[in-house]
Amino acid sequence: MSYKIVFFDIDGTLLNKENRIPADTKEAVRRLKEQGIQVAIATGRSPYHLASIASELEIDTYVSFNGSYVVCKGEVVYANSLRQESLSRLEKIAKEHGHPLVYLSESECYANSEQHPQVIESFHYLSLDPPDCQTDFWQGQSIYQAFLYCQEHEESRYAGMVPDVSFIRWYPFALDVLPAGGSKAKGIEALLSHLGLSAADAVAFGDGLNDREMLNFVGMGIAMGNAREEVKSFADMTTRHVNNGGISYGLQKIGLIR
């Protein structure tokens, strides 16, 4: 199969636990481009939280916010924001349970509480600066993703209570809040349509729960060796660990680089 585009998740795929891009991964991406194969990012991160990684790898096409905001060579080709009614309901329930929230637009993000330790820890885990507090930030503008901070056993308090949203856990006490039915696969589908390509033309690498739909959707889904076991079952193959040449090994196995 002659694949035409490769999508890379960021955390645990392009980045290792030290939040660095391994040298062999940089080299693999460079060699992909030399072969004339398009390279894109597919991440739960915002455009501004992926910018330094995209710049380092010289990538200008990405699926961000778990598929809700898609940019191709600097042009926005798909955007699907959360409904204000849903955000209002989420805000109300989260306040009742004492759970903080972070709201993310296409250009900035703010928390609804001041210096909450869980918010600070989760952002430091990603080597990002924690957001400032602005309690009404979500009102009257496009919010493409939110972070809800609660423990796994507390998730049931939100199930079915907030209309038109879905939740994906990405940290022990943090969930992504997305438009219902949103996924990286949806964003990739929009980008492929814009490029005149099909799912069969695409390869994707990922390791997290938010990568399951993407790995299942593309022509060749490759789970990282460090991926969770339930994620590997959605992939066509599993490569090595991110710190053991996982990207380069996977690309070699499918014949895209030597």
Side-chain angles (χ1 to χ4, degrees):
M1 177 68 195
S2 180
Y3 300 110
K4 297 178 175 63
I5 187 168
V6 180
F7 293 90
F8 294 104
D9 168 53
I10 290 181
D11 300 288
T13 301
L14 287 175
L15 297 184
N16 58 23
K17 284 190 176 180
E18 290 71 46
N19 290 315
R20 295 190 179 97
I21 305 173
D24 60 333
T25 294
K26 294 180 186 178
E27 176 63 14
V29 170
R30 185 189 66 78
R31 289 162 68 186
L32 265 183
K33 293 177 182 177
E34 282 185 347
Q35 300 296 322
I37 297 168
Q38 297 186 68
V39 178
I41 286 171
T43 180
R45 292 190 181 217
S46 68
Y48 37 94
H49 290 146
L50 67 82
S52 62
I53 295 111
S55 176
E56 188 172 353
L57 294 172
E58 297 182 337
I59 296 173
D60 60 5
T61 296
Y62 57 83
V63 173
S64 64
F65 291 132
N66 285 305
S68 294
Y69 195 83
V70 181
V71 170
C72 182
K73 301 186 186 303
E75 176 189 356
V76 179
V77 298
Y78 178 77
N80 181 29
S81 60
L82 288 153
R83 296 174 62 240
Q84 287 286 304
E85 294 87 347
S86 301
L87 294 173
S88 178
R89 179 66 175 160
L90 178 66
E91 177 83 6
K92 180 176 184 296
I93 298 173
K95 278 188 175 180
E96 289 172 356
H97 295 300
H99 295 153
L101 287 156
V102 172
Y103 295 103
L104 303 100
S105 73
E106 77 282 358
S107 58
E108 53 188 344
C109 70
Y110 288 95
N112 69 349
S113 60
E114 191 78 47
Q115 295 293 303
H116 194 284
Q118 290 185 342
V119 173
I120 293 171
E121 179 182 332
S122 68
F123 274 73
H124 284 170
Y125 168 74
L126 299 172
S127 295
L128 299 173
D129 293 330
D132 293 330
C133 176
Q134 187 173 316
T135 56
D136 61 350
F137 175 68
W138 61 274
Q139 298 181 32
Q141 65 175 302
S142 296
I143 300 296
Y144 293 96
Q145 186 166 271
F147 298 154
L148 168 64
Y149 291 83
C150 69
Q151 302 292 336
E152 193 166 356
H153 70 273
E154 298 173 308
E155 277 187 53
S156 59
R157 300 177 183 179
Y158 296 88
M161 296 299 292
V162 184
D164 301 323
V165 304
S166 57
F167 300 94
I168 303 174
R169 185 164 294 277
W170 64 273
Y171 199 64
F173 48 72
L175 294 162
D176 286 330
V177 183
L178 313 173
S183 69
K184 292 184 183 181
K186 290 288 186 183
I188 287 174
E189 184 178 30
L191 179 58
L192 292 176
S193 176
H194 176 76
L195 294 171
L197 299 175
S198 70
D201 294 319
V203 176
F205 286 77
D207 74 301
L209 294 176
N210 61 343
D211 294 317
R212 292 173 294 182
E213 297 89 349
M214 170 179 79
L215 295 175
N216 187 59
F217 174 70
V218 297
M220 174 57 66
I222 302 177
M224 301 298 291
N226 47 282
R228 297 173 62 148
E229 289 304 313
E230 61 262 52
V231 175
K232 293 177 182 178
S233 66
F234 286 82
D236 298 292
M237 65 169 281
T238 298
T239 186
R240 295 172 179 167
H241 193 284
V242 60
N243 279 335
N244 190 29
I247 296 297
S248 57
Y249 179 78
L251 291 172
Q252 289 169 18
K253 290 293 286 185
I254 62 173
L256 287 186
I257 63 172
R258 294 182 180 179

